[in-house]
């Protein structure tokens, strides 16, 4: 059973371009979480999705950021018109059911490091 | 709002020694979950150990154990017989029950020297 797969591992974008980050959850997992890690900081929650539904996007910046988790295919985190401050590592995690306790551990991918130049 | 604080940005010990990483948190909740995650250079986030706040007994996983002091809101990680492969960033994290958001500390960089 492959783990959570994120691609690309590294992404370089010029200011103003779009960044698309992909996350394929573990087989059988229908819940996906995106976190952002700024340099020298811990992870910060961004969004929680189930198949075809956004459950909680309270951690997402109001503009330029969007996320989806379609019925088929990976979850996508999309950042439009990137700025230098978007440079960070973006982590995806998945769980088989909603992570609300000890029996629903979320498994993390290796992250995508976005660099905006 | 919950906060998690890791006061040691970096620690370094010799192989086979014991090392303790500290973590404090702030919450008004009576029940919650606490986690320690390891992030090696590969950047994979790996769950090391977890603790339920309503359990008095400290969690243990092989060489890893925690000292959970609920009244003091402290959750330290002890690594015994440290190995070179333990070199990594270690993050403490908090989660409310029936929630899914992990609240993370800033991390401690642990270096195990041969």
């Amino acid at each position: 059973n492959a783990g959570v797969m994120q691609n690309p591992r590294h992404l370089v974008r010029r200011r103003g371009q779009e960044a698309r980050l992909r996350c394929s959850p573990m087989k059988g997992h229908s819940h996906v979480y995106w976190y952002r890690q700024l340099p020298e900081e811990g992870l910060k929650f961004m969004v929680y999705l189930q198949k075809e539904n956004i459950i909680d996007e309270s951690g997402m910046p109001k503009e330029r950021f969007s996320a989806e988790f379609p019925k088929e295919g990976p979850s996508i985190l999309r950042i439009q018109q990137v700025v230098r401050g978007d440079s960070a590592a973006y982590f995806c995690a998945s769980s088989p059911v909603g992570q609300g306790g000890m029996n629903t551990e979320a498994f993390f991918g290796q992250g995508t490091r976005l660099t905006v130049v | 709002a919950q906060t998690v604080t890791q006061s040691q940005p970096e620690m370094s010990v010799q192989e086979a020694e014991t090392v303790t990483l500290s973590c404090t948190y702030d919450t008004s909740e009576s029940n919650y979950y606490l986690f320690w995650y390891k992030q090696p250079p590969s950047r994979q986030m790996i769950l090391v150990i977890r603790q339920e706040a309503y359990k008095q007994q400290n969690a243990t996983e092989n060489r890893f154990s925690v000292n959970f002091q609920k009244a003091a809101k402290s959750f330290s990680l002890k690594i015994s017989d440290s190995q070179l492969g333990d070199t990594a960033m270690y993050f403490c994290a908090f989660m409310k029950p029936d929630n899914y958001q992990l609240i993370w500390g800033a991390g401690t960089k642990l270096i195990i020297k041969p």
Side-chain angles (χ1 to χ4, degrees), chain B residues 12-111:
Chain B
S12 178
V13 298
Q14 295 292 138
E15 191 176 8
E17 289 184 347
T18 293
V19 60
T20 299
L21 310 183
S22 65
C23 171
T24 58
Y25 57 93
D26 187 25
T27 183
S28 59
E29 303 286 334
S30 59
N31 193 24
Y32 44 86
Y33 305 100
L34 295 163
F35 305 83
W36 277 99
Y37 280 87
K38 170 185 177 181
Q39 186 181 37
S42 66
R43 289 215 315 266
Q44 183 79 46
M45 200 64 78
I46 303 164
L47 178 63
V48 174
I49 198 166
R50 53 190 169 190
Q51 174 84 37
E52 299 171 57
Y54 65 86
K55 287 188 175 178
Q56 299 274 24
Q57 188 173 4
N58 288 324
T60 299
E61 289 286 342
N62 301 313
R63 298 183 295 108
F64 298 87
S65 61
V66 298
N67 183 4
F68 174 47
Q69 301 290 327
K70 191 172 183 179
K73 296 181 182 175
S74 171
F75 183 60
S76 61
L77 174 70
K78 185 171 85 170
I79 305 174
S80 304
D81 185 27
S82 58
Q83 301 174 359
L84 296 178
D86 295 333
T87 293
M89 285 291 292
Y90 285 82
F91 292 93
C92 178
F94 169 101
M95 185 170 68
K96 291 193 293 184
D98 300 322
N99 203 330
Y100 39 78
Q101 293 188 29
L102 285 161
I103 312 297
W104 299 74
T108 295
K109 184 177 182 180
L110 177 63
I111 299 169

Side-chain angles (χ1 to χ4, degrees), chain A residues 22-99:
Chain A
R22 294 174 182 77
C23 169
S24 295
M26 287 182 70
K27 186 176 181 180
H29 288 194
S30 59
H31 298 250
V32 165
Y33 316 83
W34 285 93
Y35 287 82
R36 176 164 63 175
Q37 184 181 27
L38 296 172
E40 311 300 324
E41 295 186 16
L43 280 66
K44 297 286 195 296
F45 170 80
M46 297 183 75
V47 63
Y48 164 34
L49 309 107
Q50 294 178 25
K51 287 280 188 182
E52 300 184 280
N53 283 306
I54 297 174
I55 307 302
D56 181 354
E57 56 182 348
S58 60
M60 290 271 275
K62 293 287 186 280
E63 298 177 349
R64 302 188 297 107
F65 285 71
S66 62
E68 63 176 6
F69 187 18
K71 187 177 180 181
E72 300 290 339
S75 175
I76 305 288
L77 179 66
R78 182 182 179 205
I79 311 172
Q80 296 178 290
Q81 299 174 323
V82 296
V83 301
R84 289 233 170 98
D86 297 333
S87 294
Y90 292 83
F91 286 90
C92 168
S94 74
S95 66
V97 294
Q99 185 187 12

